[in-house]
Amino acid sequence: MKIAHRFPLYALALLLALLPLAALAQASATVPKAGVDYVLIENGKPFAPLDGKIEVVEVFSYTCGHCAQFQPMLDAWKARQRDDVRVTYLPLATGPGDHLSRAFFALQDTGELDRGHAATFRAIHERGALSRRPEAAELAAFYTGLGLDGTALQRAMAEESVTTRMAAAYRHALNQGVEGTPTVIVNGRYRVTARTHEDRLRIADALIARLRTQRR
């Protein structure tokens, strides 16, 4: 004789009662918390006018090993974003003699940032093809080896406009309370605090979702 196994009614009732609590717990886990997942920046301002966008700024340094690890993850995350998100890379420029930060802005000015940004990280941290404090000529030779116009890049690095933008980038990082790299800042208002790179992107996603909701 085949015995039917029936789910006890009291167990079914208990399960149904717990389902909303589980859903609530899952939802609350994705809600970013001030003082835990981010710091609310007093009088914080975006780096550039928002123009209807949600701004995500990464303050980085080419000599930072954690930034080198984070860079491909951030690039992949950036590629998944909708059109209303603007991701901005911002070097933590330490002064006029910071040639790596100069190189970043020169790559930007010449339209070669996509080709040179990740390659600069790899050259320093994986291949040892660049020193951590390279001179302009060393950087020009390196970029020439990538098939870029190293002479044009070296010229661009020397422009006064680059010095001005480096100073602006440093002031922004200082005003936003940046204490290290990499640091992610959303809309100039939220400085993400995270223990892992994955958490950094998860929190950024949650803050973006919050800002989209606030727009409605």
Side-chain angles (χ1 to χ4, degrees):
M1 182 177 65
K2 192 174 181 180
I3 300 175
H5 294 280
R6 295 181 180 178
F7 198 69
L9 290 179
Y10 72 86
L12 180 61
L14 179 62
L15 178 62
L16 292 174
L18 289 175
L19 283 175
L21 295 176
L24 181 63
Q26 183 175 9
S28 63
T30 63
V31 175
K33 299 179 179 63
V36 177
D37 298 315
Y38 66 87
V39 173
L40 185 62
I41 302 169
E42 188 175 356
N43 301 319
K45 297 179 180 179
F47 181 66
L50 294 177
D51 295 331
K53 301 285 188 179
I54 296 171
E55 179 189 75
V56 178
V57 167
E58 183 219 11
V59 181
F60 76 93
S61 169
Y62 279 125
T63 59
C64 164
H66 293 296
C67 299
Q69 294 169 357
F70 186 49
Q71 185 274 323
M73 298 172 64
L74 180 59
D75 269 359
W77 180 85
K78 176 184 175 182
R80 297 194 299 269
Q81 299 310 302
R82 284 157 43 181
D83 291 342
D84 63 341
V85 175
R86 181 181 70 217
V87 178
T88 300
Y89 304 124
L90 203 63
L92 186 62
T94 56
D98 180 354
H99 294 292
L100 283 168
S101 291
R102 284 189 172 278
F104 171 85
F105 288 112
L107 287 165
Q108 198 173 60
D109 286 346
T110 56
E112 298 290 6
L113 190 60
D114 286 345
R115 293 178 66 189
H117 185 56
T120 303
F121 274 120
R122 290 194 297 268
I124 295 170
H125 297 278
E126 297 177 18
R127 297 168 46 215
L130 273 177
S131 65
R132 289 175 177 267
R133 298 186 65 181
E135 295 295 326
E138 181 184 348
L139 284 161
F142 167 70
Y143 292 125
T144 297
L146 293 181
L148 307 181
D149 188 339
T151 302
L153 282 163
Q154 188 169 0
R155 250 191 332 264
M157 287 171 62
E159 292 288 341
E160 187 60 32
S161 61
V162 168
T163 304
T164 301
R165 285 152 66 203
M166 287 171 64
Y170 183 76
R171 283 195 305 271
H172 183 73
L174 197 65
N175 292 337
Q176 302 302 88
V178 171
E179 298 175 344
T181 54
T183 294
V184 169
I185 302 165
V186 180
N187 262 22
R189 294 169 54 192
Y190 307 104
R191 188 175 74 248
V192 174
T193 53
R195 293 186 177 182
T196 68
H197 299 320
E198 291 82 4
D199 266 355
R200 191 170 285 112
L201 297 176
R202 175 187 60 79
I203 295 166
D205 275 329
L207 290 169
I208 289 168
R210 172 187 290 181
L211 289 166
R212 284 184 180 135
T213 301
Q214 290 173 356
R215 284 178 172 180
R216 296 172 188 155

